[in-house]
Amino acid sequence: MLRYLGYRLLQLIPIMILASIFVFLMIHLVPGDPVLTVTGLEASAEQMARVSEEMGFDRPLVVQYFDWIAGVFSGDLGNSLVSQKPVTELIADRMPATIQLTIATMFIGLTIGIPIGLISASHKGSWIDKMVAGYSSFSLAVPTFVVGIVIILVFGVKLEWIPTASTYIPFWEDPGGAFEATIGPAFTLGFFVSGVIARFVRASMIEVLGLDYIRTSRAKGVGEAKLVYKHAFRAASLPTLTIVGIQFGTFLGGSLVTESVFNYPGIGRLILEAILNRDFVVVQGAVLVVVVMFALVNLITDVLYSFLNPRIRAGNSG
């Protein structure tokens, strides 16, 4: 197991290097002058030249990249061009909100998606299967911002069950307040996730239910419920773990649209605000953190999958 973990960590190194280069170039090659964000449009050429020199923008891109990477390894992602606060501090302030929203989103998605996926697979071709397929297609087709707006209008404005603008309340400090503040964006994203998981669980279950040992167990008189929910789902849950890990890593990076619709103070909204303010230092640091977290979540998912399925581990490290 340690050998396989080392193998996967080695694979992660070139990916992180390429990701850092991509993030750096993506920010620096977009149109616009970041110096104007600091000096304003009324600044003279001399003022702009002085600020550019102070911030290192007058140096070659290669030098700027290595200076930035050196700062990253020392925990310094730079200071915001707008607020002058350290980027690490801004990210640390927003990350707990995004983690809580991600956990709530995945809980809702799994709670809805797994049961209806199992039911759909065990009733393949029936009207139940068609209803679940319709639900999955609908949840994937409707944009999340539309779902969010509908939730705000119905449950926030009309029924007044939830606030129209969400905030971050730590669950361990006030569970009721955290639920009320998070349920809107969490259900918006969880609705989408439930469709993805339901479709994936259904496909995996149908494949497993067609295997020889399942047919043999059914012929021996094993009850259908026990066959589906105990034996078949155990085998089908391994592929499902992959899609759960991908979704978790994705939402851990924040959801720009949903967080903006609900005014939720997560990492996604931080990135969007930085983009609108042309604060490329914040965008650069936040995107890098998101990429690293996504890669680490996928690494954990891959290692967990290989732990549960030793054939994968043996094939990759052999």
Side-chain angles (χ1 to χ4, degrees):
M1 188 65 193
L2 291 177
R3 182 181 177 186
Y4 178 72
L5 179 60
Y7 170 78
R8 293 294 289 115
L9 287 173
L10 286 176
Q11 283 186 321
L12 200 60
I13 293 174
I15 294 175
M16 289 294 94
I17 293 174
L18 291 175
S20 67
I21 294 173
F22 175 77
V23 170
F24 180 82
L25 293 179
M26 177 185 68
I27 300 301
H28 280 74
L29 296 181
V30 295
D33 189 351
V35 175
L36 291 175
T37 305
V38 180
T39 62
L41 298 176
E42 305 298 327
S44 64
E46 291 78 10
Q47 290 174 320
M48 292 182 62
R50 185 177 68 256
V51 171
S52 179
E53 182 179 356
E54 290 174 353
M55 304 187 71
F57 295 151
D58 60 330
R59 290 174 292 178
L61 276 180
V62 174
V63 177
Q64 292 185 50
Y65 170 76
F66 282 106
D67 287 344
W68 176 60
I69 285 296
V72 169
F73 280 110
S74 64
D76 180 15
L77 296 175
N79 294 331
S80 166
L81 299 179
V82 176
S83 66
Q84 300 303 314
K85 291 183 179 179
V87 175
T88 50
E89 180 181 323
L90 295 174
I91 295 174
D93 289 342
R94 301 293 187 100
M95 190 56 71
T98 292
I99 292 174
Q100 182 167 289
L101 176 60
T102 300
I103 294 174
T105 295
M106 296 309 300
F107 178 79
I108 293 173
L110 291 169
T111 302
I112 299 174
I114 290 179
I116 66 175
L118 291 174
I119 294 171
S120 178
S122 59
H123 295 80
K124 181 183 176 182
S126 67
W127 64 270
I128 297 177
D129 186 23
K130 293 177 182 177
M131 285 186 62
V132 173
Y135 170 85
S136 298
S137 299
F138 182 73
S139 66
L140 298 177
V142 180
T144 53
F145 76 88
V146 174
V147 178
I149 291 174
V150 171
I151 288 176
I152 290 175
L153 291 176
V154 175
F155 297 100
V157 177
K158 183 70 175 177
L159 300 177
E160 298 183 353
W161 289 357
I162 63 173
T164 55
S166 299
T167 186
Y168 170 60
I169 301 176
F171 182 79
W172 55 89
E173 292 183 2
D174 182 5
F179 175 84
E180 184 178 328
T182 311
I183 187 62
F187 187 83
T188 299
L189 298 173
F191 176 66
F192 170 81
V193 173
S194 67
V196 175
I197 293 176
R199 180 171 290 186
F200 209 87
V201 168
R202 178 188 181 276
S204 299
M205 283 293 296
I206 289 176
E207 181 180 354
V208 172
L209 288 172
L211 296 177
D212 291 339
Y213 83 94
I214 295 293
R215 291 199 296 265
T216 301
S217 299
R218 185 180 284 116
K220 289 181 178 180
V222 177
E224 192 67 21
K226 183 178 181 180
L227 192 67
V228 171
Y229 297 107
K230 184 177 180 180
H231 298 289
F233 180 62
R234 182 181 300 173
S237 62
L238 286 177
T240 305
L241 177 64
T242 303
I243 195 66
V244 170
I246 292 174
Q247 293 296 317
F248 189 88
T250 300
F251 291 116
L252 203 58
S255 176
L256 277 72
V257 175
T258 303
E259 289 182 4
S260 298
V261 169
F262 286 91
N263 203 31
Y264 188 79
I267 196 73
R269 187 169 157 220
L270 174 66
I271 294 175
L272 182 60
E273 290 172 348
I275 292 174
L276 295 176
N277 292 326
R278 302 192 68 81
D279 194 345
F280 90 95
V281 178
V282 174
V283 177
Q284 188 172 261
V287 171
L288 180 67
V289 169
V290 167
V291 170
V292 171
M293 293 184 65
F294 183 81
L296 290 176
V297 168
N298 280 318
L299 173 64
I300 294 171
T301 303
D302 191 30
V303 171
L304 182 59
Y305 188 99
S306 68
F307 177 77
L308 298 174
N309 188 357
R311 290 177 297 178
I312 300 295
R313 185 168 67 250
N316 282 317
S317 60

mmCIF file of all heavy atoms in Angstrom, residues 198-233:
data_model
loop_
_atom_site.group_PDB
_atom_site.id
_atom_site.type_symbol
_atom_site.label_atom_id
_atom_site.label_comp_id
_atom_site.label_asym_id
_atom_site.label_seq_id
_atom_site.Cartn_x
_atom_site.Cartn_y
_atom_site.Cartn_z
ATOM 1 N N ALA A 198 -27.385 9.324 -8.951
ATOM 2 C CA ALA A 198 -28.454 8.386 -9.290
ATOM 3 C C ALA A 198 -28.179 7.694 -10.619
ATOM 4 O O ALA A 198 -28.340 6.472 -10.747
ATOM 5 C CB ALA A 198 -29.793 9.122 -9.345
ATOM 6 N N ARG A 199 -27.747 8.475 -11.593
ATOM 7 C CA ARG A 199 -27.452 7.892 -12.907
ATOM 8 C C ARG A 199 -26.273 6.929 -12.840
ATOM 9 O O ARG A 199 -26.286 5.860 -13.464
ATOM 10 C CB ARG A 199 -27.175 9.022 -13.913
ATOM 11 C CG ARG A 199 -26.847 8.557 -15.307
ATOM 12 C CD ARG A 199 -26.799 9.713 -16.283
ATOM 13 N NE ARG A 199 -28.120 10.277 -16.525
ATOM 14 C CZ ARG A 199 -28.376 11.222 -17.429
ATOM 15 N NH1 ARG A 199 -27.389 11.725 -18.145
ATOM 16 N NH2 ARG A 199 -29.589 11.674 -17.611
ATOM 17 N N PHE A 200 -25.266 7.288 -12.073
ATOM 18 C CA PHE A 200 -24.075 6.446 -11.975
ATOM 19 C C PHE A 200 -24.368 5.174 -11.188
ATOM 20 O O PHE A 200 -23.912 4.088 -11.553
ATOM 21 C CB PHE A 200 -22.942 7.234 -11.308
ATOM 22 C CG PHE A 200 -21.578 6.800 -11.746
ATOM 23 C CD1 PHE A 200 -20.996 7.348 -12.882
ATOM 24 C CD2 PHE A 200 -20.883 5.845 -11.047
ATOM 25 C CE1 PHE A 200 -19.730 6.955 -13.290
ATOM 26 C CE2 PHE A 200 -19.619 5.428 -11.441
ATOM 27 C CZ PHE A 200 -19.045 5.982 -12.569
ATOM 28 N N VAL A 201 -25.119 5.301 -10.073
ATOM 29 C CA VAL A 201 -25.486 4.128 -9.280
ATOM 30 C C VAL A 201 -26.338 3.177 -10.101
ATOM 31 O O VAL A 201 -26.148 1.952 -10.057
ATOM 32 C CB VAL A 201 -26.237 4.558 -7.998
ATOM 33 C CG1 VAL A 201 -26.874 3.354 -7.307
ATOM 34 C CG2 VAL A 201 -25.285 5.258 -7.035
ATOM 35 N N ARG A 202 -27.278 3.711 -10.852
ATOM 36 C CA ARG A 202 -28.136 2.871 -11.693
ATOM 37 C C ARG A 202 -27.312 2.080 -12.693
ATOM 38 O O ARG A 202 -27.483 0.858 -12.842
ATOM 39 C CB ARG A 202 -29.162 3.729 -12.435
ATOM 40 C CG ARG A 202 -30.061 2.926 -13.379
ATOM 41 C CD ARG A 202 -30.930 3.838 -14.227
ATOM 42 N NE ARG A 202 -31.782 3.069 -15.101
ATOM 43 C CZ ARG A 202 -31.422 2.582 -16.296
ATOM 44 N NH1 ARG A 202 -30.169 2.796 -16.728
ATOM 45 N NH2 ARG A 202 -32.256 1.895 -17.035
ATOM 46 N N ALA A 203 -26.395 2.760 -13.386
ATOM 47 C CA ALA A 203 -25.570 2.083 -14.398
ATOM 48 C C ALA A 203 -24.696 1.004 -13.764
ATOM 49 O O ALA A 203 -24.574 -0.112 -14.293
ATOM 50 C CB ALA A 203 -24.715 3.102 -15.140
ATOM 51 N N SER A 204 -24.092 1.325 -12.610
ATOM 52 C CA SER A 204 -23.229 0.344 -11.935
ATOM 53 C C SER A 204 -24.031 -0.847 -11.438
ATOM 54 O O SER A 204 -23.592 -1.999 -11.544
ATOM 55 C CB SER A 204 -22.494 1.011 -10.767
ATOM 56 O OG SER A 204 -21.681 2.069 -11.219
ATOM 57 N N MET A 205 -25.215 -0.577 -10.883
ATOM 58 C CA MET A 205 -26.048 -1.654 -10.351
ATOM 59 C C MET A 205 -26.550 -2.578 -11.451
ATOM 60 O O MET A 205 -26.578 -3.805 -11.279
ATOM 61 C CB MET A 205 -27.224 -1.056 -9.592
ATOM 62 C CG MET A 205 -26.878 -0.537 -8.211
ATOM 63 S SD MET A 205 -26.404 -1.849 -7.071
ATOM 64 C CE MET A 205 -27.929 -2.770 -6.967
ATOM 65 N N ILE A 206 -26.952 -2.010 -12.571
ATOM 66 C CA ILE A 206 -27.433 -2.843 -13.677
ATOM 67 C C ILE A 206 -26.324 -3.758 -14.173
ATOM 68 O O ILE A 206 -26.551 -4.935 -14.481
ATOM 69 C CB ILE A 206 -27.975 -1.950 -14.817
ATOM 70 C CG1 ILE A 206 -29.297 -1.305 -14.392
ATOM 71 C CG2 ILE A 206 -28.166 -2.755 -16.103
ATOM 72 C CD1 ILE A 206 -29.864 -0.337 -15.397
ATOM 73 N N GLU A 207 -25.100 -3.233 -14.234
ATOM 74 C CA GLU A 207 -23.970 -4.052 -14.654
ATOM 75 C C GLU A 207 -23.715 -5.190 -13.663
ATOM 76 O O GLU A 207 -23.493 -6.337 -14.056
ATOM 77 C CB GLU A 207 -22.720 -3.177 -14.782
ATOM 78 C CG GLU A 207 -21.481 -3.938 -15.236
ATOM 79 C CD GLU A 207 -20.262 -3.048 -15.351
ATOM 80 O OE1 GLU A 207 -20.407 -1.821 -15.187
ATOM 81 O OE2 GLU A 207 -19.155 -3.579 -15.588
ATOM 82 N N VAL A 208 -23.750 -4.862 -12.358
ATOM 83 C CA VAL A 208 -23.489 -5.880 -11.337
ATOM 84 C C VAL A 208 -24.606 -6.910 -11.292
ATOM 85 O O VAL A 208 -24.351 -8.117 -11.146
ATOM 86 C CB VAL A 208 -23.309 -5.214 -9.956
ATOM 87 C CG1 VAL A 208 -23.234 -6.265 -8.849
ATOM 88 C CG2 VAL A 208 -22.060 -4.354 -9.947
ATOM 89 N N LEU A 209 -25.853 -6.469 -11.423
ATOM 90 C CA LEU A 209 -26.982 -7.390 -11.361
ATOM 91 C C LEU A 209 -26.987 -8.393 -12.510
ATOM 92 O O LEU A 209 -27.670 -9.416 -12.441
ATOM 93 C CB LEU A 209 -28.304 -6.605 -11.353
ATOM 94 C CG LEU A 209 -28.622 -5.851 -10.063
ATOM 95 C CD1 LEU A 209 -29.844 -4.966 -10.238
ATOM 96 C CD2 LEU A 209 -28.841 -6.826 -8.910
ATOM 97 N N GLY A 210 -26.224 -8.087 -13.551
ATOM 98 C CA GLY A 210 -26.138 -9.011 -14.675
ATOM 99 C C GLY A 210 -25.003 -10.010 -14.573
ATOM 100 O O GLY A 210 -24.834 -10.852 -15.458
ATOM 101 N N LEU A 211 -24.209 -9.922 -13.483
ATOM 102 C CA LEU A 211 -23.077 -10.831 -13.325
ATOM 103 C C LEU A 211 -23.546 -12.231 -12.933
ATOM 104 O O LEU A 211 -24.633 -12.416 -12.372
ATOM 105 C CB LEU A 211 -22.114 -10.288 -12.263
ATOM 106 C CG LEU A 211 -21.441 -8.955 -12.584
ATOM 107 C CD1 LEU A 211 -20.560 -8.502 -11.421
ATOM 108 C CD2 LEU A 211 -20.626 -9.051 -13.867
ATOM 109 N N ASP A 212 -22.697 -13.214 -13.202
ATOM 110 C CA ASP A 212 -23.064 -14.613 -12.985
ATOM 111 C C ASP A 212 -23.365 -14.917 -11.524
ATOM 112 O O ASP A 212 -24.322 -15.629 -11.208
ATOM 113 C CB ASP A 212 -21.944 -15.535 -13.490
ATOM 114 C CG ASP A 212 -21.806 -15.515 -14.999
ATOM 115 O OD1 ASP A 212 -22.794 -15.130 -15.670
ATOM 116 O OD2 ASP A 212 -20.725 -15.866 -15.514
ATOM 117 N N TYR A 213 -22.544 -14.396 -10.609
ATOM 118 C CA TYR A 213 -22.745 -14.767 -9.203
ATOM 119 C C TYR A 213 -24.043 -14.194 -8.648
ATOM 120 O O TYR A 213 -24.664 -14.762 -7.744
ATOM 121 C CB TYR A 213 -21.539 -14.336 -8.363
ATOM 122 C CG TYR A 213 -21.538 -12.898 -7.904
ATOM 123 C CD1 TYR A 213 -22.049 -12.551 -6.664
ATOM 124 C CD2 TYR A 213 -20.998 -11.895 -8.709
ATOM 125 C CE1 TYR A 213 -22.034 -11.243 -6.229
ATOM 126 C CE2 TYR A 213 -20.974 -10.591 -8.284
ATOM 127 C CZ TYR A 213 -21.491 -10.256 -7.040
ATOM 128 O OH TYR A 213 -21.474 -8.959 -6.623
ATOM 129 N N ILE A 214 -24.504 -13.072 -9.207
ATOM 130 C CA ILE A 214 -25.795 -12.513 -8.790
ATOM 131 C C ILE A 214 -26.927 -13.396 -9.301
ATOM 132 O O ILE A 214 -27.887 -13.692 -8.572
ATOM 133 C CB ILE A 214 -25.955 -11.076 -9.306
ATOM 134 C CG1 ILE A 214 -24.916 -10.158 -8.649
ATOM 135 C CG2 ILE A 214 -27.371 -10.568 -9.046
ATOM 136 C CD1 ILE A 214 -25.116 -9.955 -7.172
ATOM 137 N N ARG A 215 -26.838 -13.829 -10.557
ATOM 138 C CA ARG A 215 -27.867 -14.706 -11.111
ATOM 139 C C ARG A 215 -27.899 -16.036 -10.364
ATOM 140 O O ARG A 215 -28.967 -16.611 -10.113
ATOM 141 C CB ARG A 215 -27.624 -14.929 -12.606
ATOM 142 C CG ARG A 215 -27.868 -13.690 -13.471
ATOM 143 C CD ARG A 215 -28.058 -14.077 -14.932
ATOM 144 N NE ARG A 215 -26.839 -14.672 -15.483
ATOM 145 C CZ ARG A 215 -25.920 -13.977 -16.160
ATOM 146 N NH1 ARG A 215 -26.091 -12.670 -16.325
ATOM 147 N NH2 ARG A 215 -24.858 -14.562 -16.643
ATOM 148 N N THR A 216 -26.713 -16.531 -9.978
ATOM 149 C CA THR A 216 -26.654 -17.786 -9.218
ATOM 150 C C THR A 216 -27.298 -17.619 -7.851
ATOM 151 O O THR A 216 -28.054 -18.492 -7.387
ATOM 152 C CB THR A 216 -25.190 -18.230 -9.048
ATOM 153 O OG1 THR A 216 -24.599 -18.406 -10.338
ATOM 154 C CG2 THR A 216 -25.109 -19.533 -8.265
ATOM 155 N N SER A 217 -27.013 -16.508 -7.188
ATOM 156 C CA SER A 217 -27.611 -16.244 -5.877
ATOM 157 C C SER A 217 -29.128 -16.133 -5.984
ATOM 158 O O SER A 217 -29.866 -16.626 -5.124
ATOM 159 C CB SER A 217 -27.045 -14.951 -5.287
ATOM 160 O OG SER A 217 -25.648 -15.056 -5.109
ATOM 161 N N ARG A 218 -29.606 -15.494 -7.056
ATOM 162 C CA ARG A 218 -31.048 -15.372 -7.251
ATOM 163 C C ARG A 218 -31.671 -16.739 -7.484
ATOM 164 O O ARG A 218 -32.758 -17.038 -6.969
ATOM 165 C CB ARG A 218 -31.333 -14.433 -8.428
ATOM 166 C CG ARG A 218 -32.823 -14.149 -8.616
ATOM 167 C CD ARG A 218 -33.076 -13.221 -9.793
ATOM 168 N NE ARG A 218 -32.747 -11.829 -9.470
ATOM 169 C CZ ARG A 218 -31.777 -11.145 -10.065
ATOM 170 N NH1 ARG A 218 -31.035 -11.724 -11.007
ATOM 171 N NH2 ARG A 218 -31.542 -9.896 -9.737
ATOM 172 N N ALA A 219 -30.971 -17.585 -8.245
ATOM 173 C CA ALA A 219 -31.486 -18.939 -8.510
ATOM 174 C C ALA A 219 -31.520 -19.785 -7.241
ATOM 175 O O ALA A 219 -32.342 -20.693 -7.103
ATOM 176 C CB ALA A 219 -30.625 -19.615 -9.566
ATOM 177 N N LYS A 220 -30.616 -19.495 -6.293
ATOM 178 C CA LYS A 220 -30.584 -20.242 -5.032
ATOM 179 C C LYS A 220 -31.638 -19.760 -4.041
ATOM 180 O O LYS A 220 -31.751 -20.311 -2.944
ATOM 181 C CB LYS A 220 -29.200 -20.133 -4.399
ATOM 182 C CG LYS A 220 -28.125 -20.910 -5.157
ATOM 183 C CD LYS A 220 -26.767 -20.783 -4.448
ATOM 184 C CE LYS A 220 -25.706 -21.607 -5.166
ATOM 185 N NZ LYS A 220 -24.381 -21.504 -4.485
ATOM 186 N N GLY A 221 -32.382 -18.742 -4.426
ATOM 187 C CA GLY A 221 -33.477 -18.283 -3.578
ATOM 188 C C GLY A 221 -33.158 -17.122 -2.674
ATOM 189 O O GLY A 221 -33.927 -16.817 -1.756
ATOM 190 N N VAL A 222 -32.030 -16.448 -2.887
ATOM 191 C CA VAL A 222 -31.711 -15.270 -2.086
ATOM 192 C C VAL A 222 -32.738 -14.181 -2.377
ATOM 193 O O VAL A 222 -33.068 -13.912 -3.534
ATOM 194 C CB VAL A 222 -30.291 -14.765 -2.397
ATOM 195 C CG1 VAL A 222 -29.999 -13.503 -1.604
ATOM 196 C CG2 VAL A 222 -29.266 -15.840 -2.091
ATOM 197 N N GLY A 223 -33.268 -13.561 -1.326
ATOM 198 C CA GLY A 223 -34.284 -12.534 -1.494
ATOM 199 C C GLY A 223 -33.802 -11.367 -2.345
ATOM 200 O O GLY A 223 -32.634 -10.999 -2.298
ATOM 201 N N GLU A 224 -34.719 -10.788 -3.096
ATOM 202 C CA GLU A 224 -34.353 -9.712 -4.011
ATOM 203 C C GLU A 224 -33.805 -8.498 -3.270
ATOM 204 O O GLU A 224 -32.826 -7.878 -3.696
ATOM 205 C CB GLU A 224 -35.558 -9.315 -4.858
ATOM 206 C CG GLU A 224 -35.233 -8.407 -6.029
ATOM 207 C CD GLU A 224 -34.381 -9.103 -7.100
ATOM 208 O OE1 GLU A 224 -34.364 -10.349 -7.155
ATOM 209 O OE2 GLU A 224 -33.725 -8.373 -7.887
ATOM 210 N N ALA A 225 -34.446 -8.160 -2.160
ATOM 211 C CA ALA A 225 -33.990 -6.994 -1.396
ATOM 212 C C ALA A 225 -32.573 -7.213 -0.869
ATOM 213 O O ALA A 225 -31.715 -6.329 -0.972
ATOM 214 C CB ALA A 225 -34.944 -6.713 -0.242
ATOM 215 N N LYS A 226 -32.311 -8.381 -0.318
ATOM 216 C CA LYS A 226 -30.979 -8.692 0.187
ATOM 217 C C LYS A 226 -29.971 -8.734 -0.941
ATOM 218 O O LYS A 226 -28.829 -8.273 -0.801
ATOM 219 C CB LYS A 226 -31.004 -10.034 0.922
ATOM 220 C CG LYS A 226 -29.674 -10.418 1.551
ATOM 221 C CD LYS A 226 -29.788 -11.740 2.305
ATOM 222 C CE LYS A 226 -28.455 -12.109 2.953
ATOM 223 N NZ LYS A 226 -28.539 -13.397 3.690
ATOM 224 N N LEU A 227 -30.398 -9.264 -2.080
ATOM 225 C CA LEU A 227 -29.512 -9.377 -3.242
ATOM 226 C C LEU A 227 -29.107 -7.999 -3.748
ATOM 227 O O LEU A 227 -27.935 -7.746 -4.060
ATOM 228 C CB LEU A 227 -30.225 -10.160 -4.348
ATOM 229 C CG LEU A 227 -29.387 -10.642 -5.529
ATOM 230 C CD1 LEU A 227 -28.391 -11.697 -5.075
ATOM 231 C CD2 LEU A 227 -30.293 -11.207 -6.614
ATOM 232 N N VAL A 228 -30.078 -7.083 -3.801
ATOM 233 C CA VAL A 228 -29.826 -5.755 -4.365
ATOM 234 C C VAL A 228 -29.068 -4.873 -3.375
ATOM 235 O O VAL A 228 -28.019 -4.312 -3.701
ATOM 236 C CB VAL A 228 -31.151 -5.078 -4.776
ATOM 237 C CG1 VAL A 228 -30.906 -3.614 -5.145
ATOM 238 C CG2 VAL A 228 -31.779 -5.811 -5.948
ATOM 239 N N TYR A 229 -29.590 -4.763 -2.171
ATOM 240 C CA TYR A 229 -29.086 -3.769 -1.231
ATOM 241 C C TYR A 229 -27.856 -4.225 -0.456
ATOM 242 O O TYR A 229 -27.138 -3.406 0.116
ATOM 243 C CB TYR A 229 -30.193 -3.360 -0.265
ATOM 244 C CG TYR A 229 -31.352 -2.708 -0.963
ATOM 245 C CD1 TYR A 229 -32.560 -3.381 -1.117
ATOM 246 C CD2 TYR A 229 -31.232 -1.430 -1.502
ATOM 247 C CE1 TYR A 229 -33.629 -2.780 -1.780
ATOM 248 C CE2 TYR A 229 -32.283 -0.831 -2.163
ATOM 249 C CZ TYR A 229 -33.482 -1.512 -2.301
ATOM 250 O OH TYR A 229 -34.516 -0.924 -2.965
ATOM 251 N N LYS A 230 -27.591 -5.522 -0.414
ATOM 252 C CA LYS A 230 -26.434 -6.006 0.321
ATOM 253 C C LYS A 230 -25.319 -6.476 -0.600
ATOM 254 O O LYS A 230 -24.207 -5.958 -0.577
ATOM 255 C CB LYS A 230 -26.832 -7.134 1.273
ATOM 256 C CG LYS A 230 -25.681 -7.629 2.141
ATOM 257 C CD LYS A 230 -26.144 -8.707 3.113
ATOM 258 C CE LYS A 230 -24.982 -9.186 3.977
ATOM 259 N NZ LYS A 230 -25.371 -10.245 4.936
ATOM 260 N N HIS A 231 -25.626 -7.447 -1.450
ATOM 261 C CA HIS A 231 -24.585 -8.042 -2.285
ATOM 262 C C HIS A 231 -24.230 -7.164 -3.490
ATOM 263 O O HIS A 231 -23.066 -6.852 -3.717
ATOM 264 C CB HIS A 231 -25.025 -9.436 -2.747
ATOM 265 C CG HIS A 231 -25.243 -10.395 -1.624
ATOM 266 N ND1 HIS A 231 -24.220 -10.909 -0.871
ATOM 267 C CD2 HIS A 231 -26.396 -10.917 -1.107
ATOM 268 C CE1 HIS A 231 -24.706 -11.722 0.057
ATOM 269 N NE2 HIS A 231 -26.034 -11.740 -0.065
ATOM 270 N N ALA A 232 -25.252 -6.773 -4.268
ATOM 271 C CA ALA A 232 -24.986 -6.035 -5.509
ATOM 272 C C ALA A 232 -24.460 -4.627 -5.227
ATOM 273 O O ALA A 232 -23.510 -4.176 -5.870
ATOM 274 C CB ALA A 232 -26.254 -5.969 -6.361
ATOM 275 N N PHE A 233 -25.062 -3.939 -4.279
ATOM 276 C CA PHE A 233 -24.644 -2.560 -4.022
ATOM 277 C C PHE A 233 -23.224 -2.495 -3.486
ATOM 278 O O PHE A 233 -22.500 -1.539 -3.736
ATOM 279 C CB PHE A 233 -25.607 -1.882 -3.046
ATOM 280 C CG PHE A 233 -25.231 -0.461 -2.741
ATOM 281 C CD1 PHE A 233 -25.211 0.494 -3.754
ATOM 282 C CD2 PHE A 233 -24.874 -0.071 -1.460
ATOM 283 C CE1 PHE A 233 -24.857 1.814 -3.489
ATOM 284 C CE2 PHE A 233 -24.514 1.240 -1.188
ATOM 285 C CZ PHE A 233 -24.511 2.179 -2.203
#
